Every structure is written in C-alpha cells, then in structure tokens.
PDB file of all heavy atoms in Angstrom:
ATOM      1  N   ILE R   1     120.385  85.912  34.716  1.00  0.00           N
ATOM      2  CA  ILE R   1     121.318  86.585  33.813  1.00  0.00           C
ATOM      3  C   ILE R   1     121.713  87.955  34.354  1.00  0.00           C
ATOM      4  O   ILE R   1     122.884  88.345  34.332  1.00  0.00           O
ATOM      5  CB  ILE R   1     120.706  86.694  32.393  1.00  0.00           C
ATOM      6  CG1 ILE R   1     120.545  85.280  31.767  1.00  0.00           C
ATOM      7  CG2 ILE R   1     121.578  87.568  31.504  1.00  0.00           C
ATOM      8  CD1 ILE R   1     119.767  85.287  30.484  1.00  0.00           C
ATOM      9  N   ASP R   2     120.707  88.682  34.867  1.00  0.00           N
ATOM     10  CA  ASP R   2     120.986  90.013  35.423  1.00  0.00           C
ATOM     11  C   ASP R   2     121.948  89.914  36.615  1.00  0.00           C
ATOM     12  O   ASP R   2     122.777  90.802  36.832  1.00  0.00           O
ATOM     13  CB  ASP R   2     119.680  90.674  35.868  1.00  0.00           C
ATOM     14  CG  ASP R   2     118.811  91.094  34.682  1.00  0.00           C
ATOM     15  OD1 ASP R   2     119.378  91.185  33.575  1.00  0.00           O
ATOM     16  OD2 ASP R   2     117.586  91.279  34.849  1.00  0.00           O
ATOM     17  N   ARG R   3     121.866  88.834  37.370  1.00  0.00           N
ATOM     18  CA  ARG R   3     122.724  88.655  38.534  1.00  0.00           C
ATOM     19  C   ARG R   3     124.078  88.036  38.158  1.00  0.00           C
ATOM     20  O   ARG R   3     124.948  87.861  39.012  1.00  0.00           O
ATOM     21  CB  ARG R   3     122.048  87.790  39.592  1.00  0.00           C
ATOM     22  CG  ARG R   3     120.813  88.424  40.233  1.00  0.00           C
ATOM     23  CD  ARG R   3     120.372  87.655  41.473  1.00  0.00           C
ATOM     24  NE  ARG R   3     119.995  86.287  41.166  1.00  0.00           N
ATOM     25  CZ  ARG R   3     118.745  85.902  40.903  1.00  0.00           C
ATOM     26  NH1 ARG R   3     117.752  86.806  40.894  1.00  0.00           N
ATOM     27  NH2 ARG R   3     118.464  84.639  40.642  1.00  0.00           N
ATOM     28  N   GLY R   4     124.238  87.671  36.895  1.00  0.00           N
ATOM     29  CA  GLY R   4     125.489  87.075  36.429  1.00  0.00           C
ATOM     30  C   GLY R   4     125.648  85.632  36.887  1.00  0.00           C
ATOM     31  O   GLY R   4     126.779  85.143  36.973  1.00  0.00           O
ATOM     32  N   GLU R   5     124.550  84.936  37.132  1.00  0.00           N
ATOM     33  CA  GLU R   5     124.613  83.565  37.585  1.00  0.00           C
ATOM     34  C   GLU R   5     124.606  82.582  36.410  1.00  0.00           C
ATOM     35  O   GLU R   5     124.102  82.908  35.318  1.00  0.00           O
ATOM     36  CB  GLU R   5     123.420  83.243  38.511  1.00  0.00           C
ATOM     37  CG  GLU R   5     123.385  84.095  39.770  1.00  0.00           C
ATOM     38  CD  GLU R   5     122.129  83.816  40.594  1.00  0.00           C
ATOM     39  OE1 GLU R   5     121.345  82.956  40.184  1.00  0.00           O
ATOM     40  OE2 GLU R   5     121.949  84.472  41.652  1.00  0.00           O
ATOM     41  N   LYS R   6     125.137  81.390  36.626  1.00  0.00           N
ATOM     42  CA  LYS R   6     125.098  80.356  35.596  1.00  0.00           C
ATOM     43  C   LYS R   6     123.679  79.823  35.472  1.00  0.00           C
ATOM     44  O   LYS R   6     122.966  79.656  36.466  1.00  0.00           O
ATOM     45  CB  LYS R   6     126.065  79.212  35.944  1.00  0.00           C
ATOM     46  CG  LYS R   6     127.542  79.597  35.844  1.00  0.00           C
ATOM     47  CD  LYS R   6     128.412  78.382  36.101  1.00  0.00           C
ATOM     48  CE  LYS R   6     129.868  78.733  35.918  1.00  0.00           C
ATOM     49  NZ  LYS R   6     130.771  77.553  36.150  1.00  0.00           N
ATOM     50  N   LEU R   7     123.294  79.520  34.235  1.00  0.00           N
ATOM     51  CA  LEU R   7     121.950  79.017  34.003  1.00  0.00           C
ATOM     52  C   LEU R   7     121.896  77.522  34.260  1.00  0.00           C
ATOM     53  O   LEU R   7     122.833  76.789  33.970  1.00  0.00           O
ATOM     54  CB  LEU R   7     121.524  79.287  32.569  1.00  0.00           C
ATOM     55  CG  LEU R   7     121.552  80.785  32.128  1.00  0.00           C
ATOM     56  CD1 LEU R   7     121.044  80.921  30.715  1.00  0.00           C
ATOM     57  CD2 LEU R   7     120.723  81.639  33.099  1.00  0.00           C
ATOM     58  N   PRO R   8     120.789  76.999  34.805  1.00  0.00           N
ATOM     59  CA  PRO R   8     120.651  75.567  35.048  1.00  0.00           C
ATOM     60  C   PRO R   8     120.760  74.758  33.758  1.00  0.00           C
ATOM     61  O   PRO R   8     120.275  75.156  32.710  1.00  0.00           O
ATOM     62  CB  PRO R   8     119.264  75.452  35.667  1.00  0.00           C
ATOM     63  CG  PRO R   8     118.945  76.815  36.195  1.00  0.00           C
ATOM     64  CD  PRO R   8     119.621  77.772  35.262  1.00  0.00           C
ATOM     65  N   ALA R   9     121.425  73.594  33.843  1.00  0.00           N
ATOM     66  CA  ALA R   9     121.644  72.765  32.667  1.00  0.00           C
ATOM     67  C   ALA R   9     120.337  72.260  32.067  1.00  0.00           C
ATOM     68  O   ALA R   9     120.291  71.956  30.867  1.00  0.00           O
ATOM     69  CB  ALA R   9     122.539  71.576  33.049  1.00  0.00           C
ATOM     70  N   LYS R  10     119.277  72.189  32.876  1.00  0.00           N
ATOM     71  CA  LYS R  10     118.014  71.636  32.377  1.00  0.00           C
ATOM     72  C   LYS R  10     117.393  72.504  31.263  1.00  0.00           C
ATOM     73  O   LYS R  10     116.575  72.016  30.498  1.00  0.00           O
ATOM     74  CB  LYS R  10     117.013  71.486  33.508  1.00  0.00           C
ATOM     75  CG  LYS R  10     116.581  72.809  34.131  1.00  0.00           C
ATOM     76  CD  LYS R  10     115.569  72.600  35.238  1.00  0.00           C
ATOM     77  CE  LYS R  10     115.079  73.926  35.839  1.00  0.00           C
ATOM     78  NZ  LYS R  10     114.086  73.709  36.898  1.00  0.00           N
ATOM     79  N   PHE R  11     117.829  73.794  31.152  1.00  0.00           N
ATOM     80  CA  PHE R  11     117.283  74.665  30.109  1.00  0.00           C
ATOM     81  C   PHE R  11     118.088  74.625  28.825  1.00  0.00           C
ATOM     82  O   PHE R  11     117.746  75.283  27.862  1.00  0.00           O
ATOM     83  CB  PHE R  11     117.232  76.108  30.629  1.00  0.00           C
ATOM     84  CG  PHE R  11     116.256  76.325  31.755  1.00  0.00           C
ATOM     85  CD1 PHE R  11     116.703  76.703  33.005  1.00  0.00           C
ATOM     86  CD2 PHE R  11     114.898  76.143  31.542  1.00  0.00           C
ATOM     87  CE1 PHE R  11     115.808  76.899  34.048  1.00  0.00           C
ATOM     88  CE2 PHE R  11     114.008  76.354  32.574  1.00  0.00           C
ATOM     89  CZ  PHE R  11     114.457  76.724  33.844  1.00  0.00           C
ATOM     90  N   LYS R  12     119.178  73.863  28.804  1.00  0.00           N
ATOM     91  CA  LYS R  12     120.078  73.893  27.658  1.00  0.00           C
ATOM     92  C   LYS R  12     119.390  73.474  26.370  1.00  0.00           C
ATOM     93  O   LYS R  12     119.546  74.130  25.342  1.00  0.00           O
ATOM     94  CB  LYS R  12     121.272  72.948  27.916  1.00  0.00           C
ATOM     95  CG  LYS R  12     122.384  73.081  26.904  1.00  0.00           C
ATOM     96  CD  LYS R  12     123.609  72.295  27.359  1.00  0.00           C
ATOM     97  CE  LYS R  12     124.752  72.516  26.393  1.00  0.00           C
ATOM     98  NZ  LYS R  12     125.979  71.766  26.832  1.00  0.00           N
ATOM     99  N   SER R  13     118.606  72.385  26.410  1.00  0.00           N
ATOM    100  CA  SER R  13     117.961  71.897  25.197  1.00  0.00           C
ATOM    101  C   SER R  13     116.878  72.850  24.695  1.00  0.00           C
ATOM    102  O   SER R  13     116.521  72.828  23.528  1.00  0.00           O
ATOM    103  CB  SER R  13     117.349  70.519  25.444  1.00  0.00           C
ATOM    104  OG  SER R  13     116.387  70.576  26.473  1.00  0.00           O
ATOM    105  N   GLN R  14     116.334  73.695  25.593  1.00  0.00           N
ATOM    106  CA  GLN R  14     115.293  74.634  25.202  1.00  0.00           C
ATOM    107  C   GLN R  14     115.862  75.937  24.681  1.00  0.00           C
ATOM    108  O   GLN R  14     115.224  76.625  23.895  1.00  0.00           O
ATOM    109  CB  GLN R  14     114.377  74.925  26.397  1.00  0.00           C
ATOM    110  CG  GLN R  14     113.603  73.696  26.894  1.00  0.00           C
ATOM    111  CD  GLN R  14     112.956  73.947  28.219  1.00  0.00           C
ATOM    112  OE1 GLN R  14     113.610  73.896  29.258  1.00  0.00           O
ATOM    113  NE2 GLN R  14     111.655  74.231  28.202  1.00  0.00           N
ATOM    114  N   LEU R  15     117.085  76.250  25.080  1.00  0.00           N
ATOM    115  CA  LEU R  15     117.692  77.518  24.664  1.00  0.00           C
ATOM    116  C   LEU R  15     118.589  77.388  23.428  1.00  0.00           C
ATOM    117  O   LEU R  15     118.804  78.367  22.715  1.00  0.00           O
ATOM    118  CB  LEU R  15     118.532  78.099  25.818  1.00  0.00           C
ATOM    119  CG  LEU R  15     117.753  78.497  27.079  1.00  0.00           C
ATOM    120  CD1 LEU R  15     118.706  78.873  28.181  1.00  0.00           C
ATOM    121  CD2 LEU R  15     116.799  79.653  26.764  1.00  0.00           C
ATOM    122  N   PHE R  16     119.088  76.184  23.174  1.00  0.00           N
ATOM    123  CA  PHE R  16     120.070  76.008  22.080  1.00  0.00           C
ATOM    124  C   PHE R  16     119.629  74.906  21.155  1.00  0.00           C
ATOM    125  O   PHE R  16     118.989  73.942  21.539  1.00  0.00           O
ATOM    126  CB  PHE R  16     121.454  75.703  22.643  1.00  0.00           C
ATOM    127  CG  PHE R  16     121.968  76.733  23.597  1.00  0.00           C
ATOM    128  CD1 PHE R  16     121.897  76.534  24.980  1.00  0.00           C
ATOM    129  CD2 PHE R  16     122.522  77.916  23.135  1.00  0.00           C
ATOM    130  CE1 PHE R  16     122.352  77.489  25.863  1.00  0.00           C
ATOM    131  CE2 PHE R  16     122.988  78.879  24.030  1.00  0.00           C
ATOM    132  CZ  PHE R  16     122.907  78.678  25.371  1.00  0.00           C
ATOM    133  N   GLU R  17     120.024  75.048  19.866  1.00  0.00           N
ATOM    134  CA  GLU R  17     119.734  74.030  18.860  1.00  0.00           C
ATOM    135  C   GLU R  17     120.858  72.979  18.834  1.00  0.00           C
ATOM    136  O   GLU R  17     121.979  73.224  19.278  1.00  0.00           O
ATOM    137  CB  GLU R  17     119.607  74.667  17.485  1.00  0.00           C
ATOM    138  CG  GLU R  17     118.430  75.607  17.338  1.00  0.00           C
ATOM    139  CD  GLU R  17     118.331  76.197  15.936  1.00  0.00           C
ATOM    140  OE1 GLU R  17     119.318  76.049  15.175  1.00  0.00           O
ATOM    141  OE2 GLU R  17     117.295  76.782  15.647  1.00  0.00           O
ATOM    142  N   ASN R  18     120.521  71.823  18.278  1.00  0.00           N
ATOM    143  CA  ASN R  18     121.482  70.722  18.062  1.00  0.00           C
ATOM    144  C   ASN R  18     122.211  70.324  19.329  1.00  0.00           C
ATOM    145  O   ASN R  18     123.409  70.087  19.329  1.00  0.00           O
ATOM    146  CB  ASN R  18     122.510  71.144  16.981  1.00  0.00           C
ATOM    147  CG  ASN R  18     121.862  71.495  15.661  1.00  0.00           C
ATOM    148  OD1 ASN R  18     120.909  70.840  15.243  1.00  0.00           O
ATOM    149  ND2 ASN R  18     122.361  72.532  15.023  1.00  0.00           N
ATOM    150  N   VAL R  19     121.495  70.247  20.420  1.00  0.00           N
ATOM    151  CA  VAL R  19     122.096  69.785  21.670  1.00  0.00           C
ATOM    152  C   VAL R  19     122.140  68.270  21.635  1.00  0.00           C
ATOM    153  O   VAL R  19     121.127  67.605  21.351  1.00  0.00           O
ATOM    154  CB  VAL R  19     121.275  70.260  22.887  1.00  0.00           C
ATOM    155  CG1 VAL R  19     121.843  69.682  24.167  1.00  0.00           C
ATOM    156  CG2 VAL R  19     121.251  71.769  22.926  1.00  0.00           C
ATOM    157  N   PRO R  20     123.314  67.638  21.853  1.00  0.00           N
ATOM    158  CA  PRO R  20     123.390  66.181  21.817  1.00  0.00           C
ATOM    159  C   PRO R  20     122.541  65.531  22.879  1.00  0.00           C
ATOM    160  O   PRO R  20     122.326  66.107  23.957  1.00  0.00           O
ATOM    161  CB  PRO R  20     124.886  65.918  22.039  1.00  0.00           C
ATOM    162  CG  PRO R  20     125.412  67.126  22.716  1.00  0.00           C
ATOM    163  CD  PRO R  20     124.599  68.273  22.184  1.00  0.00           C
ATOM    164  N   GLU R  21     122.047  64.332  22.570  1.00  0.00           N
ATOM    165  CA  GLU R  21     121.209  63.602  23.539  1.00  0.00           C
ATOM    166  C   GLU R  21     122.006  63.265  24.800  1.00  0.00           C
ATOM    167  O   GLU R  21     121.487  63.271  25.892  1.00  0.00           O
ATOM    168  CB  GLU R  21     120.666  62.323  22.891  1.00  0.00           C
ATOM    169  CG  GLU R  21     119.700  62.599  21.749  1.00  0.00           C
ATOM    170  CD  GLU R  21     119.142  61.295  21.178  1.00  0.00           C
ATOM    171  OE1 GLU R  21     119.432  60.224  21.761  1.00  0.00           O
ATOM    172  OE2 GLU R  21     118.429  61.365  20.173  1.00  0.00           O
ATOM    173  N   VAL R  22     123.268  62.860  24.603  1.00  0.00           N
ATOM    174  CA  VAL R  22     124.143  62.546  25.728  1.00  0.00           C
ATOM    175  C   VAL R  22     125.404  63.364  25.632  1.00  0.00           C
ATOM    176  O   VAL R  22     126.012  63.461  24.562  1.00  0.00           O
ATOM    177  CB  VAL R  22     124.499  61.025  25.747  1.00  0.00           C
ATOM    178  CG1 VAL R  22     125.444  60.715  26.894  1.00  0.00           C
ATOM    179  CG2 VAL R  22     123.260  60.156  25.803  1.00  0.00           C
ATOM    180  N   GLU R  23     125.782  64.015  26.695  1.00  0.00           N
ATOM    181  CA  GLU R  23     126.942  64.897  26.648  1.00  0.00           C
ATOM    182  C   GLU R  23     127.734  64.761  27.935  1.00  0.00           C
ATOM    183  O   GLU R  23     127.170  64.669  29.039  1.00  0.00           O
ATOM    184  CB  GLU R  23     126.487  66.347  26.477  1.00  0.00           C
ATOM    185  CG  GLU R  23     127.659  67.322  26.334  1.00  0.00           C
ATOM    186  CD  GLU R  23     127.198  68.748  26.142  1.00  0.00           C
ATOM    187  OE1 GLU R  23     125.975  68.991  26.282  1.00  0.00           O
ATOM    188  OE2 GLU R  23     128.032  69.628  25.868  1.00  0.00           O
ATOM    189  N   LEU R  24     129.065  64.718  27.800  1.00  0.00           N
ATOM    190  CA  LEU R  24     129.944  64.656  28.946  1.00  0.00           C
ATOM    191  C   LEU R  24     130.262  66.105  29.394  1.00  0.00           C
ATOM    192  O   LEU R  24     130.719  66.911  28.590  1.00  0.00           O
ATOM    193  CB  LEU R  24     131.246  63.947  28.553  1.00  0.00           C
ATOM    194  CG  LEU R  24     132.272  63.690  29.668  1.00  0.00           C
ATOM    195  CD1 LEU R  24     131.681  62.748  30.716  1.00  0.00           C
ATOM    196  CD2 LEU R  24     133.536  63.100  29.091  1.00  0.00           C
ATOM    197  N   VAL R  25     129.993  66.388  30.628  1.00  0.00           N
ATOM    198  CA  VAL R  25     130.157  67.746  31.145  1.00  0.00           C
ATOM    199  C   VAL R  25     130.989  67.719  32.428  1.00  0.00           C
ATOM    200  O   VAL R  25     130.830  66.831  33.252  1.00  0.00           O
ATOM    201  CB  VAL R  25     128.778  68.403  31.430  1.00  0.00           C
ATOM    202  CG1 VAL R  25     128.955  69.817  31.987  1.00  0.00           C
ATOM    203  CG2 VAL R  25     127.928  68.418  30.182  1.00  0.00           C
ATOM    204  N   TRP R  26     131.908  68.673  32.532  1.00  0.00           N
ATOM    205  CA  TRP R  26     132.668  68.841  33.780  1.00  0.00           C
ATOM    206  C   TRP R  26     132.953  70.338  33.933  1.00  0.00           C
ATOM    207  O   TRP R  26     132.849  71.118  32.965  1.00  0.00           O
ATOM    208  CB  TRP R  26     133.949  68.024  33.768  1.00  0.00           C
ATOM    209  CG  TRP R  26     134.942  68.417  32.709  1.00  0.00           C
ATOM    210  CD1 TRP R  26     135.908  69.373  32.775  1.00  0.00           C
ATOM    211  CD2 TRP R  26     135.034  67.849  31.385  1.00  0.00           C
ATOM    212  NE1 TRP R  26     136.616  69.453  31.609  1.00  0.00           N
ATOM    213  CE2 TRP R  26     136.096  68.513  30.747  1.00  0.00           C
ATOM    214  CE3 TRP R  26     134.351  66.844  30.707  1.00  0.00           C
ATOM    215  CZ2 TRP R  26     136.472  68.220  29.422  1.00  0.00           C
ATOM    216  CZ3 TRP R  26     134.727  66.561  29.424  1.00  0.00           C
ATOM    217  CH2 TRP R  26     135.782  67.243  28.792  1.00  0.00           C
ATOM    218  N   ALA R  27     133.306  70.732  35.121  1.00  0.00           N
ATOM    219  CA  ALA R  27     133.594  72.153  35.385  1.00  0.00           C
ATOM    220  C   ALA R  27     134.777  72.611  34.540  1.00  0.00           C
ATOM    221  O   ALA R  27     135.825  71.978  34.524  1.00  0.00           O
ATOM    222  CB  ALA R  27     133.910  72.345  36.864  1.00  0.00           C
ATOM    223  N   GLY R  28     134.587  73.704  33.833  1.00  0.00           N
ATOM    224  CA  GLY R  28     135.664  74.258  33.026  1.00  0.00           C
ATOM    225  C   GLY R  28     135.753  73.692  31.615  1.00  0.00           C
ATOM    226  O   GLY R  28     136.666  74.054  30.865  1.00  0.00           O
ATOM    227  N   LYS R  29     134.824  72.819  31.202  1.00  0.00           N
ATOM    228  CA  LYS R  29     134.886  72.248  29.875  1.00  0.00           C
ATOM    229  C   LYS R  29     134.643  73.342  28.826  1.00  0.00           C
ATOM    230  O   LYS R  29     133.728  74.136  28.920  1.00  0.00           O
ATOM    231  CB  LYS R  29     133.833  71.146  29.688  1.00  0.00           C
ATOM    232  CG  LYS R  29     133.858  70.505  28.315  1.00  0.00           C
ATOM    233  CD  LYS R  29     132.770  69.470  28.150  1.00  0.00           C
ATOM    234  CE  LYS R  29     132.812  68.889  26.758  1.00  0.00           C
ATOM    235  NZ  LYS R  29     131.732  67.888  26.527  1.00  0.00           N
ATOM    236  N   THR R  30     135.493  73.357  27.798  1.00  0.00           N
ATOM    237  CA  THR R  30     135.350  74.279  26.682  1.00  0.00           C
ATOM    238  C   THR R  30     135.886  73.644  25.427  1.00  0.00           C
ATOM    239  O   THR R  30     136.842  72.852  25.481  1.00  0.00           O
ATOM    240  CB  THR R  30     136.081  75.602  26.942  1.00  0.00           C
ATOM    241  OG1 THR R  30     136.021  76.423  25.775  1.00  0.00           O
ATOM    242  CG2 THR R  30     137.558  75.368  27.282  1.00  0.00           C
ATOM    243  N   SER R  31     135.255  73.906  24.297  1.00  0.00           N
ATOM    244  CA  SER R  31     135.711  73.377  23.002  1.00  0.00           C
ATOM    245  C   SER R  31     136.756  74.271  22.374  1.00  0.00           C
ATOM    246  O   SER R  31     137.253  73.976  21.272  1.00  0.00           O
ATOM    247  CB  SER R  31     134.520  73.208  22.066  1.00  0.00           C
ATOM    248  OG  SER R  31     133.869  74.451  21.863  1.00  0.00           O
ATOM    249  N   GLU R  32     137.110  75.372  23.043  1.00  0.00           N
ATOM    250  CA  GLU R  32     138.142  76.275  22.509  1.00  0.00           C
ATOM    251  C   GLU R  32     139.514  75.672  22.788  1.00  0.00           C
ATOM    252  O   GLU R  32     139.795  75.222  23.889  1.00  0.00           O
ATOM    253  CB  GLU R  32     138.031  77.650  23.164  1.00  0.00           C
ATOM    254  CG  GLU R  32     136.744  78.394  22.839  1.00  0.00           C
ATOM    255  CD  GLU R  32     136.683  79.741  23.489  1.00  0.00           C
ATOM    256  OE1 GLU R  32     137.689  80.117  24.160  1.00  0.00           O
ATOM    257  OE2 GLU R  32     135.668  80.424  23.367  1.00  0.00           O
ATOM    258  N   VAL R  33     140.333  75.640  21.761  1.00  0.00           N
ATOM    259  CA  VAL R  33     141.691  75.104  21.878  1.00  0.00           C
ATOM    260  C   VAL R  33     142.683  76.174  21.463  1.00  0.00           C
ATOM    261  O   VAL R  33     142.358  77.117  20.739  1.00  0.00           O
ATOM    262  CB  VAL R  33     141.906  73.841  21.046  1.00  0.00           C
ATOM    263  CG1 VAL R  33     141.020  72.710  21.529  1.00  0.00           C
ATOM    264  CG2 VAL R  33     141.620  74.116  19.561  1.00  0.00           C
ATOM    265  N   THR R  34     143.914  76.017  21.913  1.00  0.00           N
ATOM    266  CA  THR R  34     144.928  77.013  21.584  1.00  0.00           C
ATOM    267  C   THR R  34     145.226  76.993  20.083  1.00  0.00           C
ATOM    268  O   THR R  34     145.159  75.965  19.419  1.00  0.00           O
ATOM    269  CB  THR R  34     146.219  76.705  22.363  1.00  0.00           C
ATOM    270  OG1 THR R  34     147.219  77.665  21.992  1.00  0.00           O
ATOM    271  CG2 THR R  34     146.760  75.312  22.064  1.00  0.00           C
ATOM    272  N   ASN R  35     145.552  78.152  19.539  1.00  0.00           N
ATOM    273  CA  ASN R  35     145.884  78.289  18.112  1.00  0.00           C
ATOM    274  C   ASN R  35     147.316  78.787  17.946  1.00  0.00           C
ATOM    275  O   ASN R  35     147.688  79.315  16.901  1.00  0.00           O
ATOM    276  CB  ASN R  35     144.938  79.274  17.426  1.00  0.00           C
ATOM    277  CG  ASN R  35     143.536  78.708  17.315  1.00  0.00           C
ATOM    278  OD1 ASN R  35     143.364  77.549  16.973  1.00  0.00           O
ATOM    279  ND2 ASN R  35     142.539  79.520  17.625  1.00  0.00           N
ATOM    280  N   VAL R  36     148.145  78.618  18.963  1.00  0.00           N
ATOM    281  CA  VAL R  36     149.513  79.088  18.917  1.00  0.00           C
ATOM    282  C   VAL R  36     150.285  78.351  17.838  1.00  0.00           C
ATOM    283  O   VAL R  36     150.037  77.176  17.571  1.00  0.00           O
ATOM    284  CB  VAL R  36     150.193  78.920  20.286  1.00  0.00           C
ATOM    285  CG1 VAL R  36     150.368  77.446  20.626  1.00  0.00           C
ATOM    286  CG2 VAL R  36     151.539  79.625  20.304  1.00  0.00           C
ATOM    287  N   VAL R  37     151.193  79.065  17.175  1.00  0.00           N
ATOM    288  CA  VAL R  37     152.067  78.476  16.178  1.00  0.00           C
ATOM    289  C   VAL R  37     153.503  78.789  16.570  1.00  0.00           C
ATOM    290  O   VAL R  37     153.894  79.951  16.643  1.00  0.00           O
ATOM    291  CB  VAL R  37     151.800  78.995  14.751  1.00  0.00           C
ATOM    292  CG1 VAL R  37     152.782  78.403  13.757  1.00  0.00           C
ATOM    293  CG2 VAL R  37     150.374  78.690  14.345  1.00  0.00           C
ATOM    294  N   LEU R  38     154.290  77.749  16.866  1.00  0.00           N
ATOM    295  CA  LEU R  38     155.675  77.938  17.261  1.00  0.00           C
ATOM    296  C   LEU R  38     156.592  77.327  16.197  1.00  0.00           C
ATOM    297  O   LEU R  38     156.260  76.316  15.582  1.00  0.00           O
ATOM    298  CB  LEU R  38     155.944  77.243  18.602  1.00  0.00           C
ATOM    299  CG  LEU R  38     155.144  77.752  19.798  1.00  0.00           C
ATOM    300  CD1 LEU R  38     155.435  76.895  21.032  1.00  0.00           C
ATOM    301  CD2 LEU R  38     155.477  79.218  20.073  1.00  0.00           C
ATOM    302  N   PRO R  39     157.771  77.929  15.978  1.00  0.00           N
ATOM    303  CA  PRO R  39     158.719  77.322  15.037  1.00  0.00           C
ATOM    304  C   PRO R  39     159.363  76.102  15.636  1.00  0.00           C
ATOM    305  O   PRO R  39     159.557  76.027  16.867  1.00  0.00           O
ATOM    306  CB  PRO R  39     159.742  78.442  14.840  1.00  0.00           C
ATOM    307  CG  PRO R  39     159.704  79.225  16.096  1.00  0.00           C
ATOM    308  CD  PRO R  39     158.272  79.197  16.561  1.00  0.00           C
TER     309      PRO R  39
END
C-alpha cells in the first residue's frame, strides 16, 4: 500500500465482506456507471 501497488487478489476474501464465491474479473472492471442525463 505504501508503494502504491495493487493488492493480490488472494487477499480479497480476507479484507472484504460479502465477496462472491465466483466472480468474473478483468483489467479495468468497475461497477461505476455514468449518471449523465441528456435531453
């Protein structure tokens, strides 16, 4: 963390709650979506 490196995926279930048993992962995946509103 001090070096700004990404944490290994193997620690995910130990660091976070409600981690799914099976998860699809790819580089750049994010659950954030655009909220733009256009007329």
Side-chain angles (χ1 to χ4, degrees):
I1 293 172
D2 290 341
R3 293 193 299 267
E5 298 176 2
K6 290 185 177 180
L7 303 183
K10 65 179 182 179
F11 293 116
K12 190 172 184 178
S13 60
Q14 296 168 281
L15 296 173
F16 302 100
E17 294 181 348
N18 302 320
V19 176
E21 294 182 6
V22 179
E23 184 180 8
L24 185 64
V25 179
W26 63 87
K29 180 183 179 183
T30 174
S31 59
E32 295 180 3
V33 295
T34 179
N35 291 316
V36 67
V37 177
L38 298 176

